[in-house]
Amino acid sequence: MNIEIKSTSYLIPNNSSWENLHKDNKLKFAEYNNIFNNTKFNQKTECEIFVLFLKDIIDYYKVLNNINKSEIKKIKLIINFIEKKISTYKKKNFIISISSYYYFNHLNSSKNKPFEKETEIFFYKELYKLSKIYPNLYILNIDDLFSFHGHKSCFDERNYSLFRCRLSVFGLKLLSDKLSEIILRIKITNKKVLLLDCDNTLWGGVVGEDGIEKIKLGQDGIGLAFLEFQKAIKKLQESGIILGLVSKNNHEDVINVLEKHKSMILKKKDISIFKINWNQKSQNIRQISKDLFLGLDSFVFWDDNPIERNKIKNEIKEVDVIEPEKDVSYWSKQLLEYNGFSKFEITKEDYAKTKQYKSRSVFIEKKESSKSEISYLKKIKIKAELKNIGTDSIDRASQLSQKTNQFNFSTKRYKIADIKNLKKTHFCFLAKLSDIYGDHGLVSLIILKKYRKILYVDSFLMSCRIMGRYLENWLLDQIKKIAIKNNIKNILFEFIPNKKNKELITNFIKFNDLAKIKKKDLFKIEKKLNLNNNKYTEYYIINTKQKIKNLEIYGKKN
Amino acid sequence: MEKKIKFKKIKKALKKAFPRSKINKNIINLKIGSLKKWDSLGNLDLILEIEKEFKIKFTIDEMTNIKSIDEIEKALKKREKK
C-alpha cells in the first residue's frame, strides 16, 4: 500500500522503528507540522496517516480559566479539514492517530477539569461522529496505546527540544507497530470462528472425571479466571464471532455443564458448533469447514493442551492456533487484545450471518443425530418451488450465476443482460426453498435448452447454504418432468470441473447414477448440439425413465 | 566494557542508521559528513541507534555536541566511569 504520514511532530523517518511498516508498504513522510499541505504524491497514496499531538496544535500556555474559544476553533478547523479530505477521497483510507498527553497537576485537577481534558473529549467526540459516517476513517488513540508501558517510556521531552519529536524511539516503535496492524486489517478480513476446547479451557478440571460439581468455575482463584475468560468469549460472540466447541469428551457431559452449571456465562444457545467426540480434532475442524462452507483460514483454535495445539499447527496450517498464557488469569486480556477477530464494522448482516450459521449447524447436527436422515428431513417441512425468472428476480438469477462456486456444473457466469437474452431461446428457472429453519429464498438457477432428442442443461447451480436437503434431487426431478413434457428421453449434463466444484458435483453424479458419455457418441444421438471447446469438459446423460432418490422428503405432490 | 565489543556495537548502530552506506572495517575516524547520509539529521538517527544499542540515554548537551565516532566512544567511556 502507498502510505503517506503527516504529523504535527517530527517522526524520525529514517529510524529503524518504522521497519515493520516499510516492509509491505511504500512509506512517505510529509514535512512535519505541515498537515494541511497537499503534497505531490497525493494521487498514488492509498492511505493517509495523521499523527496529531494536541500539544503541537493548542497553545496551552495561553489557556487560562478553562475557557478559550480560539483554541477550540483550531480543533474545529482540523476536523473540518479532515472531513473535507475524507469525503473527497472516498477510496483512500485515513488513519487519524491522536495524543492529547499533557502534564498532569493532580492537585489542580482534583477540583477543576483541566482544559486539556476538555479539548481531548471534544476532539474524540467529533472524530467518532465522522468515523460513523465515513467507512474510510480509522482512529487510533495514542495515549491508550501507550498507557500499558507508561508515558515515561513513550514520550521524550529531550527529543522534542532537540528535534521536535514528541516520542521516544520506543514510543515510535509502538506507534508504528500498531499502525501496521491496522493497515493489515484493512487489507485482510478478520477471522470468523473461535474453536474452543472444554476441560481446562472453559473451566478448570475434567468434567468426565471430576463431575459437574467439582469443576473449577466461578469460585475465587482459578475458577474466577475461567469465568473472566468466558466473559471475554461472550463479548466476542455478541459482536458476531461464531463459537464452536471442539473437545474430546462425552457429548452429554459437556451439554450438562452448559445447561446446568450456574456459573457458566456461555450457554448452549451461544455455541453454534458442537464437535464433542473422540475423533481427531483436525478431522473435526475440517468437517466444520465443510459443513459451514467456511475457509480454514477463518478459524482460530484455543486449547490448553500443547499436544493438541501442535497437532493442529502441523496438520492444518491455515488455522490460527493461539498459544495461551501460562497463567489463566491473563487469558481474558489475551483474547480481547487478539487482533484476528477485530473488525471495523459490525453490520446487521453480521448478526444475520451468525444466525444463518447457527441454523445451518443446528440443521446438520439434528440431521446427523436423528436415526434416519430421511425421516428427519420429512419432519422439517421443506417446501420447494420452481419459478420463472421475472423482472423482480433477474438480478438474483445473475447474482447466483456470478457467485455460486461449489454446486455449479458449468460455472458459466451470466450478467443480467445475458440472462435476458437466454430467456428467449432457453428454459430458465429459479428455485425457491423454505423449511422450519426459515425462508431461504431463491437458491438455485437452472437453464435448459431443447434440442430434438436431448434436453441440454446449460446451467445447473445451487447455493451451498442449503446443502443436505436433497434439493438437487428434487431439481433433477423437475428437469426430468420438463423433458417428459417435451417428449425428450435424454437429459445431457455438461460438467466443467475445477477445484471448487469438483467434489460436490462428482458426488451428485455418483449418487444419481448419471452415465458418462463421450463427446463423439453424443453427436450420434443429436447432431445439432452446440457444445463448448473446453477439453476438460465431461458429459453425463440421464434417461427420463430413471427413478430419482429421496423425493419423498418433498411430499407426494412433487 | 571491552573495547572490541563496544566497537562491534557501535558498528551495528552505524549499519542500522545508514543501511545503504558501505561501512569500512575501521570506524574510529568516521565523523559527520564521512558517509553520504550522515548529515545533521543522520547524526540524530545514529545517536538514537547508539542509545538503543547500549540501553543508555544521552543528555541534551551530549546530543548536540557528539559529531563523530570518537566523541561517541568518549561519551560512552564517561558513562562507564560513573
Side-chain angles (χ1 to χ4, degrees):
Chain A
M1 209 185 270
N2 277 307
I3 300 173
E4 192 184 326
I5 301 185
K6 294 175 171 176
S7 176
T8 57
S9 178
Y10 183 61
L11 292 178
I12 331 181
N14 286 326
N15 196 272
S16 49
S17 307
W18 295 103
E19 258 170 9
N20 254 350
L21 214 51
H22 267 301
K23 239 187 252 160
D24 308 312
N25 307 291
K26 266 195 174 170
L27 213 56
K28 289 229 174 184
F29 286 85
E31 211 176 303
Y32 84 91
N33 213 0
N34 216 351
I35 56 168
F36 294 109
N37 229 6
N38 286 330
T39 31
K40 278 178 199 162
F41 34 87
N42 225 337
Q43 297 226 322
K44 274 187 184 171
T45 314
E46 293 154 276
C47 178
E48 263 188 56
I49 299 175
F50 287 85
V51 183
L52 307 177
F53 297 87
L54 287 194
K55 258 189 180 178
D56 292 330
I57 297 164
I58 291 170
D59 296 325
Y60 284 113
Y61 64 90
K62 284 185 193 165
V63 181
L64 284 172
N65 300 328
N66 290 356
I67 352 159
N68 194 318
K69 282 180 184 164
S70 74
E71 298 303 308
I72 285 280
K73 243 184 207 166
K74 282 186 187 167
I75 292 188
K76 278 183 184 160
L77 271 175
I78 294 179
I79 297 275
N80 287 343
F81 169 77
I82 291 171
E83 177 164 21
K84 212 174 167 189
K85 271 213 127 169
I86 298 171
S87 55
T88 349
Y89 302 101
K90 283 193 172 140
K91 281 184 182 167
K92 271 193 208 176
N93 293 300
F94 291 85
I95 305 175
I96 315 281
S97 47
I98 315 159
S99 162
S100 58
Y101 172 64
Y102 55 92
Y103 307 128
F104 308 96
N105 184 317
H106 289 288
L107 297 190
N108 281 344
S109 50
S110 64
K111 203 66 192 169
N112 304 303
K113 189 177 182 185
F115 181 70
E116 289 90 334
K117 197 88 205 161
E118 224 154 87
T119 49
E120 177 190 350
I121 292 169
F122 177 77
F123 206 155
Y124 277 107
K125 206 174 108 193
E126 295 297 312
L127 271 181
Y128 277 108
K129 265 189 214 163
L130 291 183
S131 88
K132 273 192 186 144
I133 307 169
Y134 302 102
N136 54 339
L137 170 65
Y138 307 90
I139 298 163
L140 174 64
N141 186 327
I142 298 177
D143 303 315
D144 285 355
L145 171 68
F146 288 168
S147 63
F148 181 77
H149 298 278
H151 290 137
K152 200 181 160 190
S153 53
C154 299
F155 292 99
D156 194 325
E157 270 70 21
R158 184 206 64 185
N159 286 359
Y160 182 72
S161 309
L162 276 169
F163 41 90
R164 308 233 169 190
C165 175
R166 294 274 178 199
L167 304 178
S168 71
V169 171
F170 179 70
L172 215 55
K173 175 97 173 83
L174 284 181
L175 177 66
S176 127
D177 286 354
K178 197 48 77 181
L179 286 172
S180 55
E181 279 172 22
I182 295 178
I183 284 161
L184 195 69
R185 180 45 35 83
I186 295 174
K187 287 191 213 159
I188 303 167
T189 55
N190 59 294
K191 310 270 175 196
K192 298 189 176 70
V193 187
L194 174 60
L195 299 172
L196 295 149
D197 178 41
C198 292
D199 289 331
N200 286 321
T201 299
L202 292 185
W203 53 76
V206 179
V207 66
E209 289 167 14
D210 304 338
I212 182 166
E213 295 86 11
K214 284 193 180 158
I215 59 170
K216 287 171 192 141
L217 180 68
Q219 55 284 69
D220 280 1
I222 203 164
L224 202 57
F226 282 112
L227 192 79
E228 287 301 312
F229 183 51
Q230 285 202 16
K231 281 184 190 166
I233 298 169
K234 176 72 183 164
K235 191 173 175 186
L236 287 179
Q237 189 261 335
E238 293 279 341
S239 77
I241 299 300
I242 300 160
L243 301 182
L245 299 184
V246 180
S247 167
K248 285 182 180 167
N249 235 320
N250 288 325
H251 192 267
E252 304 79 48
D253 285 346
V254 172
I255 297 295
N256 199 23
V257 177
L258 281 170
E259 284 178 340
K260 292 190 180 137
H261 199 290
K262 279 177 189 159
S263 296
M264 285 291 288
I265 300 279
L266 295 172
K267 306 283 182 212
K268 203 181 160 195
K269 65 170 171 40
D270 300 325
I271 315 282
S272 305
I273 308 149
F274 292 91
K275 286 283 174 204
I276 302 160
N277 50 41
W278 300 96
N279 298 342
Q280 286 296 328
K281 294 199 177 187
S282 58
Q283 189 190 332
N284 277 329
I285 293 174
R286 285 187 194 279
Q287 191 60 45
I288 297 167
S289 159
K290 263 187 197 169
D291 288 350
L292 297 184
F293 296 102
L294 278 171
L296 286 163
D297 56 0
S298 48
F299 293 108
V300 176
F301 181 71
W302 190 299
D303 196 316
D304 65 293
N305 186 340
I307 297 167
E308 295 290 355
R309 289 203 299 270
N310 277 333
K311 270 191 193 165
I312 301 295
K313 263 187 214 163
N314 292 331
E315 283 166 40
I316 319 180
K317 295 215 163 61
E318 297 93 326
V319 174
D320 196 354
V321 179
I322 296 204
E323 281 300 313
E325 299 264 351
K326 269 183 189 164
D327 185 340
V328 184
S329 315
Y330 293 96
W331 284 12
S332 159
K333 179 178 185 293
Q334 191 187 0
L335 181 61
L336 291 178
E337 285 179 353
Y338 171 66
N339 277 327
F341 290 122
S342 44
K343 47 188 162 187
F344 296 129
E345 284 164 274
I346 301 169
T347 57
K348 277 181 192 166
E349 284 79 28
D350 278 329
Y351 295 118
K353 251 192 183 153
T354 322
K355 221 177 173 185
Q356 272 178 18
Y357 287 120
K358 245 179 222 176
S359 82
R360 167 140 192 96
S361 60
V362 168
F363 165 73
I364 283 172
E365 185 197 329
K366 288 209 171 148
K367 190 175 128 179
E368 274 168 7
S369 62
S370 61
K371 274 178 197 160
S372 147
E373 184 191 15
I374 297 300
S375 67
Y376 166 70
L377 288 172
K378 271 183 184 172
K379 273 186 227 159
I380 63 168
K381 295 179 186 162
I382 308 178
K383 272 180 199 157
E385 200 184 326
L386 219 53
K387 292 203 143 202
N388 284 317
I389 300 174
T391 46
D392 56 333
S393 55
I394 193 155
D395 49 344
R396 173 64 179 155
S398 160
Q399 192 191 32
L400 275 168
S401 154
Q402 303 274 353
K403 283 193 169 176
T404 312
N405 291 319
Q406 278 147 309
F407 193 95
N408 193 340
F409 262 84
S410 56
T411 324
K412 291 176 186 167
R413 309 291 194 196
Y414 292 128
K415 293 177 189 142
I416 295 179
D418 300 331
I419 294 178
K420 263 185 195 162
N421 278 333
L422 281 166
K423 270 178 72 179
K424 291 173 193 160
T425 49
H426 292 60
F427 300 113
C428 301
F429 299 102
L430 286 164
K432 213 180 150 208
L433 184 85
S434 71
D435 57 33
I436 59 167
Y437 295 102
D439 183 355
H440 303 284
L442 298 163
V443 292
S444 167
L445 172 70
I446 296 171
I447 298 173
L448 311 166
K449 166 107 175 137
K450 187 186 152 187
Y451 289 89
R452 282 180 316 151
K453 290 177 186 169
I454 270 179
L455 185 65
Y456 163 71
V457 182
D458 175 270
S459 286
F460 179 22
L461 58 93
M462 193 176 87
S463 160
C464 282
R465 258 190 305 130
I466 43 86
M467 281 302 285
R469 291 168 172 83
Y470 295 103
L471 180 67
E472 60 278 20
N473 287 30
W474 181 83
L475 291 166
L476 181 59
D477 191 52
Q478 297 300 311
I479 297 171
K480 202 176 97 178
K481 278 175 181 163
I482 291 164
I484 294 169
K485 234 187 208 172
N486 287 284
N487 289 320
I488 296 171
K489 280 180 187 166
N490 289 309
I491 302 159
L492 172 68
F493 286 89
E494 189 183 39
F495 172 32
I496 309 173
N498 60 42
K499 262 187 193 170
K500 286 179 174 166
N501 71 356
K502 207 173 173 184
E503 197 176 336
L504 287 180
I505 300 296
T506 315
N507 283 345
F508 174 82
I509 287 167
K510 269 185 204 160
F511 189 77
N512 287 296
D513 299 320
L514 267 53
K516 197 170 185 176
I517 183 165
K518 281 179 188 166
K519 213 169 174 177
K520 57 179 182 187
D521 294 333
L522 254 177
F523 288 106
K524 282 178 195 165
I525 311 173
E526 176 58 60
K527 284 172 191 165
K528 281 186 178 175
L529 282 170
N530 184 17
L531 301 172
N532 75 56
N533 292 321
N534 186 327
K535 63 176 179 178
Y536 298 107
T537 310
E538 295 170 15
Y539 293 95
Y540 292 88
I541 268 198
I542 185 167
N543 191 287
T544 48
K545 280 179 190 167
Q546 193 169 322
K547 275 209 168 179
I548 292 159
K549 295 171 203 167
N550 294 342
L551 287 179
E552 60 269 36
I553 301 160
Y554 290 84
K556 279 175 192 168
K557 268 188 195 169
N558 294 308
Chain B
M1 194 183 291
E2 217 182 305
K3 222 176 180 180
K4 241 188 183 175
I5 300 171
K6 200 194 277 176
F7 273 94
K8 222 179 178 179
K9 280 188 164 186
I10 295 177
K11 205 169 180 183
K12 205 175 156 193
L14 263 168
K15 273 184 184 164
K16 272 209 155 174
F18 313 114
R20 278 177 205 159
S21 302
K22 262 195 177 175
I23 293 157
N24 291 336
K25 263 188 182 176
N26 196 359
I27 56 168
I28 184 79
N29 293 323
L30 292 180
K31 61 181 183 212
I32 199 161
S34 308
L35 300 169
K36 214 181 179 183
K37 288 263 172 178
W38 193 349
D39 50 15
S40 58
L41 273 181
N43 197 45
L44 288 173
D45 290 329
L46 174 62
I47 299 174
L48 290 174
E49 293 297 342
I50 295 278
E51 283 191 329
K52 213 165 135 190
E53 197 56 50
F54 288 90
K55 294 194 177 90
I56 51 155
K57 206 172 166 186
F58 291 117
T59 63
I60 192 162
D61 281 340
E62 282 172 317
M63 280 195 81
T64 35
N65 291 331
I66 290 173
K67 299 240 152 49
S68 66
I69 298 291
D70 188 43
E71 278 156 1
I72 288 174
E73 207 265 328
K74 276 176 188 158
L76 289 170
K77 221 177 207 171
K78 224 169 145 190
R79 256 147 224 283
E80 276 171 39
K81 276 179 188 169
K82 281 176 192 171

